Amino acid sequence: MEPGLLKSADWPLLIDLYFFLGGIAGGAFVIATIAHMLDSQRYRDVVRVGYYLALLAIIPAPIFLIVDLGVPSRFLHMMMVAKPDPAIGAGAVSIGPFHLKLLSPMNVGAWALLGFSLFAFLAALGVFLEDTKRAQNLGTFRVVVGVIGGFFGFFIAAYPGVLLGATARPLFVSAHWLGAMFVAVGLATGGAAIALIMASMGAQARDALSRLMKVTAFALIIELVTLILFLVTVSGAGSAGISRALSVLVSGQYSVAFWLGIVVVGLLVPLALQFGGAIKKANPVMVALISVLVLLGGFLAKWVIIGAGQVVLS
Amino acid sequence: MARTLAMFTDVSLCIGCRACQVACKQWNELPAEEPEWTGTYQNHANFTDKTYRLVRFIEKKDEKNQLQWHLMFDVCKHCAQAGCLEACPTGAIYRTQYGTVNINQDICNGCRYCVSACPFGVVAFNHDTGRANKCTFCNDRIHNGLGPACAKACPTESIQFGFRDELAAKAQKRVVTLREMGYKNAQLYGEDQKGPLGGLNAFFLLLDRPSVYGLPEKPKLPQSNVYVDSLLSIGSAMLVGIGAVVAFRERGGKGDS
């Protein structure tokens, strides 16, 4: 297809912000759950900040999504309609007024957002009840909530990438690595956000900060690898239209934000600082600086890739 | 399910009168749009929320460096495996008993996912209503045995509407005739139900390669990526999850956390 004839959904900044916040929320939740299960006493602050952050980051999500709809009052149609049609797709399952469309990442994502929001609330509630001594011995409850919510957290971080891959946009139609990359961005930004909050609160928790930097560094490496695989896959697709779409990202109007923002500021500089001693020393100022860079790079990863993919070529 | 209905467009018969385009506008009560200069007689450059069908005017030089004029009546393909239908999170896009693909305007909430999921750039977002629009094969007409307005208006029978199996047989005979007449590149596009997207319910007889008409040579169902992309995402999740476990399990200085 002549790429200029394909249409774009023209998703605005709100959607980029949702994908960014969803990644932070999912990543922070997963990290909090892992920290809680490994040593709930030692990593108490990580768990507390992680679960509260996951809830706070996911609260604006449905608002952003609803505001962006052409008919916002119909947001519930994402999951239910009064009279569903029987022939709505190969992967569709309807139960009463509800429908689940397994091949529509946007539909499954709406259900996952509902599930994640519920578990993010329950996890934050568990922290609150124990902190305020209103409840004790919530161990099993918190582990169950953490594990189930953790799966939702991974999903919330990943599905926007799969959603983009299931479009006909030339930049995305042959790219299989966006979901994998967005998981890594989610864990990196989730870890960085927890570290930034802990560092800026003046917590002298160098052990926790050091471990959070390790998590973030590892996620950044996966992000870098999947980003390279994304570029290799798209450039190897062998279509002139796809090559033109890729050039918008790597040498066109988004190239400065891509190379300087995502690759240098968001990946290479934080990794160099982390392996240059920041993980070991865990100086709060340095941790805060690295976290800001990772968060900036994480946001740009969503904004630049979605923006470049939506450019309609003439 | 009733017998599948389809539209067969024989571009060798199209004279570019655009009666189909006008008939579509009239029957569907679609307002006029500002014309735009596309470099040829074609207007508009592409489908819009107010133009569900258009005649493409394509100019191409042949091997003797002489200008050829290709005309093609373009329309929603009502794919047997439709990217828009699979993408739609609300269930607003559905398949009718005749195999056509429609958007239920009472359900569509304007998420625009279908717009980016159509491999042919057909579905368009209507900013006035906040919903997605496209050709319905004149759903109201075909449920009353009338056939779409465009097919009715076509003076040369370039556009034919009827049962898919009958039209496919007719198309196969016609392509043989055209090749015998010397149109060596004459070919059917979307007629084969074992081909890409399970076949198109609006299929074409083209006089040149599909790409000359702006059509993808091998259209792909975007949702076919979901399986691989999901598996890779799970793999990535396992890796970063292991990374987090290792980071929090490693022995280190206890105390100040």
Side-chain angles (χ1 to χ4, degrees):
Chain A
M1 183 85 190
E2 179 57 44
L5 298 182
L6 290 172
K7 290 199 174 59
S8 166
D10 290 329
W11 286 316
L13 183 65
L14 275 180
I15 300 300
D16 308 336
L17 278 173
Y18 161 62
F19 287 174
F20 174 61
L21 288 176
I24 290 181
F29 194 102
V30 167
I31 290 169
T33 295
I34 289 170
H36 179 73
M37 290 176 70
L38 290 175
D39 195 334
S40 58
Q41 286 307 309
R42 183 176 182 179
Y43 304 127
R44 203 172 153 181
D45 286 345
V46 176
V47 177
R48 179 189 289 130
V49 173
Y51 281 150
Y52 280 146
L53 173 65
L55 181 63
L56 285 175
I58 211 66
I59 284 174
I63 300 165
F64 289 174
L65 293 176
I66 291 169
V67 166
D68 174 63
L69 291 175
V71 190
S73 60
R74 292 182 177 177
F75 70 93
L76 270 179
H77 287 189
M78 288 291 185
M79 293 176 280
M80 61 179 291
V81 289
K83 287 183 184 173
D85 196 281
I88 55 170
V93 183
S94 291
I95 302 170
F98 303 102
H99 58 270
L100 177 66
K101 293 186 70 176
L102 296 171
L103 287 180
S104 171
M106 191 180 281
N107 172 269
V108 182
W111 283 107
L113 179 58
L114 182 69
F116 180 75
S117 302
L118 174 68
F119 282 93
F121 171 74
L122 291 176
L125 183 68
V127 174
F128 176 76
L129 291 177
E130 285 202 342
D131 275 0
T132 54
K133 312 246 185 272
R134 285 187 166 87
Q136 284 171 339
N137 302 323
L138 290 176
T140 311
F141 167 79
R142 290 186 62 182
V143 168
V144 170
V145 167
V147 170
I148 299 174
F151 282 108
F152 278 114
F154 273 131
F155 195 97
I156 286 292
Y159 94 88
V162 181
L163 183 151
L164 296 174
T167 67
R169 299 299 310 152
L171 185 61
F172 303 140
V173 73
S174 302
H176 290 297
W177 292 95
L178 285 177
M181 181 187 155
F182 281 13
V183 170
V185 175
L187 264 284
T189 51
I194 298 174
L196 179 63
I197 292 168
M198 289 180 65
S200 57
M201 280 165 61
Q204 293 300 307
R206 297 212 173 195
D207 175 52
L209 290 181
S210 167
R211 289 170 193 277
L212 284 167
M213 283 296 100
K214 269 184 205 160
V215 176
T216 306
F218 191 76
L220 288 180
I221 292 169
I222 302 290
E223 182 186 336
L224 185 61
V225 171
T226 48
L227 180 64
I228 292 167
L229 289 167
F230 161 74
L231 294 176
V232 169
T233 312
V234 176
S235 59
S239 146
I242 292 175
S243 300
R244 281 175 59 204
L246 183 61
S247 68
V248 172
L249 182 69
V250 297
S251 59
Q253 66 187 93
Y254 282 93
S255 55
V256 175
F258 178 75
W259 293 111
L260 192 65
I262 299 176
V263 179
V264 176
V265 173
L267 283 166
L268 299 181
V269 173
L271 279 172
L273 291 173
Q274 282 167 326
F275 288 105
I279 290 178
K280 213 171 181 184
K281 292 176 193 158
N283 177 307
V285 176
M286 182 57 81
V287 168
L289 173 70
I290 292 170
S291 300
V292 169
L293 295 180
V294 171
L295 286 166
L296 183 65
F299 170 72
L300 287 174
K302 308 285 169 81
W303 179 72
V304 168
I305 288 175
I306 297 167
Q310 294 199 120
V311 170
V312 175
L313 304 162
S314 58
Chain B
M1 193 162 169
R3 249 170 114 186
T4 302
L5 291 172
M7 183 175 283
F8 166 46
T9 302
D10 181 348
V11 305
S12 70
L13 297 176
C14 181
I15 54 172
C17 69
R18 286 193 284 210
C20 50
Q21 222 170 302
V22 175
C24 172
K25 285 257 182 191
Q26 284 185 330
W27 183 262
N28 292 295
E29 298 182 332
L30 298 171
E33 292 175 281
E34 278 290 315
E36 54 188 315
W37 173 242
T38 61
T40 72
Y41 283 116
Q42 182 175 325
N43 238 303
H44 296 272
N46 202 8
F47 299 104
T48 72
D49 57 302
K50 298 175 185 72
T51 299
Y52 295 170
R53 53 195 55 237
L54 53 93
V55 178
R56 295 197 189 279
F57 290 69
I58 297 139
E59 292 168 14
K60 186 200 164 205
K61 284 188 177 168
D62 65 9
E63 51 271 22
K64 293 175 190 163
N65 211 28
Q66 286 191 321
L67 205 60
Q68 284 185 324
W69 214 6
H70 289 283
L71 304 170
M72 179 212 177
F73 159 80
D74 204 359
V75 67
C76 170
K77 316 299 181 287
H78 295 266
C79 318
Q81 295 163 12
C84 62
L85 187 149
E86 296 296 344
C88 178
T90 65
I93 305 186
Y94 67 103
R95 193 171 297 283
T96 70
Q97 60 188 342
Y98 297 119
T100 59
V101 178
N102 278 352
I103 304 176
N104 186 336
Q105 296 291 309
D106 290 335
I107 294 178
C108 176
N109 66 7
C111 72
R112 312 186 293 290
Y113 196 24
C114 55
V115 174
S116 63
C118 174
F120 300 100
V122 168
V123 189
F125 181 64
N126 184 326
H127 289 271
D128 300 329
T129 63
R131 296 163 215 179
N133 289 138
K134 72 170 193 71
C135 155
T136 67
F137 269 178
C138 290
N139 196 43
D140 47 354
R141 290 176 65 98
I142 63 174
H143 276 82
N144 288 285
L146 287 173
C150 57
K152 195 83 176 169
C154 180
T156 64
E157 294 194 354
S158 169
I159 307 165
Q160 297 179 46
F161 189 79
F163 293 116
R164 195 184 199 286
D165 45 2
E166 289 174 5
L167 286 176
K170 199 183 268 189
Q172 283 159 4
K173 277 186 194 164
R174 175 72 180 157
V175 77
V176 172
T177 307
L178 281 169
R179 281 185 188 152
E180 284 170 0
M181 288 168 69
Y183 293 97
K184 58 181 190 299
N185 290 331
Q187 56 192 285
L188 294 176
Y189 183 81
E191 174 270 335
D192 184 5
Q193 289 180 297
K194 289 176 187 157
L197 305 177
L200 310 175
N201 289 333
F203 56 90
F204 301 82
L205 193 163
L206 307 175
L207 294 179
D208 210 326
R209 293 173 61 81
S211 56
V212 171
Y213 298 88
L215 294 166
E217 299 279 345
K218 284 183 186 164
K220 174 183 170 186
L221 183 72
Q223 288 75 22
S224 61
N225 291 338
V226 167
Y227 306 101
V228 173
D229 292 18
S230 299
L231 283 175
L232 293 174
S233 303
I234 292 168
S236 175
M238 287 169 74
L239 279 178
V240 290
I242 290 168
V245 169
V246 169
F248 281 102
R249 270 191 84 164
E250 267 180 350
R251 290 180 182 279
K254 255 202 166 192
D256 54 5
S257 168

